[in-house]
């Protein structure tokens, strides 16, 4: 039996988030390999979301949003009938959604 993966789309914001996270990790550690390893872990988690979209924890503020973690990074996504939208990727210490000032 073949397991069906649901395709995912990474939002522009999530792509920007991933780029910034990887750049910061490389800058902080001074090792490109650290950034590459984290990048691979994030995309392994995206593959897991694609395979098991309901495995992610439901967000309290919205029944439509779920989250899964890659290391200390929260991947927020929404599942639709035919696709998964990756909304953002942020460090777990940061608040999501951002407070309105």
């Amino acid at each position: 039996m073949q397991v069906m993966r649901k395709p995912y789309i990474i939002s522009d914001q999530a792509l920007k988030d991933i780029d910034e996270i990887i750049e910061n990790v490389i800058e902080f550690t001074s090792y490109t390999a650290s950034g590459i390893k984290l990048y691979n872990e994030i995309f392994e988690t995206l593959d897991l979301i694609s395979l098991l979209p309901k495995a992610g924890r439901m967000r309290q503020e919205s029944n439509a949003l779920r989250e899964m973690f890659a290391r200390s990074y929260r991947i927020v996504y929404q599942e639709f009938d035919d696709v998964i939208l990756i909304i953002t990727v942020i460090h777990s210490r940061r608040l999501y959604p951002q407070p309105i000032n």
Side-chain angles (χ1 to χ4, degrees):
M1 181 173 127
Q2 175 123 3
V3 177
M4 294 296 296
R5 293 179 182 268
K6 189 175 278 194
Y8 59 83
I9 297 170
I10 305 175
S11 71
D12 290 342
Q13 179 61 53
L15 284 173
K16 181 180 170 212
D17 295 337
I18 293 168
D19 285 345
E20 288 177 3
I21 289 165
I22 301 307
E23 286 177 16
N24 289 338
V25 166
I26 291 170
E27 183 179 330
F28 181 76
T29 64
S30 299
Y31 290 104
T32 302
S34 297
I36 292 169
K37 185 176 179 185
L38 177 57
Y39 178 90
N40 289 337
E41 289 178 29
I42 289 171
F43 278 87
E44 286 170 7
T45 304
L46 294 178
D47 287 342
L48 181 59
I49 290 169
S50 174
L51 184 62
L52 300 168
K54 298 204 182 326
R57 184 177 76 166
M58 303 235 3
R59 299 279 308 162
Q60 290 179 347
E61 74 278 354
S62 170
N63 288 338
L65 299 182
R66 291 182 178 270
E67 64 187 9
M68 200 174 279
F69 291 84
R71 286 197 209 171
S72 298
Y73 296 92
R74 176 190 329 264
I75 300 170
V76 179
Y77 64 96
Q78 184 171 357
E79 180 184 12
F80 295 94
D81 291 336
D82 58 347
V83 71
I84 298 165
L85 176 62
I86 308 301
I87 298 169
T88 192
V89 181
I90 60 172
H91 195 280
S92 60
R93 290 186 181 181
R94 291 181 52 200
L95 293 177
Y96 180 82
Q98 294 294 323
I100 298 172
N101 294 330

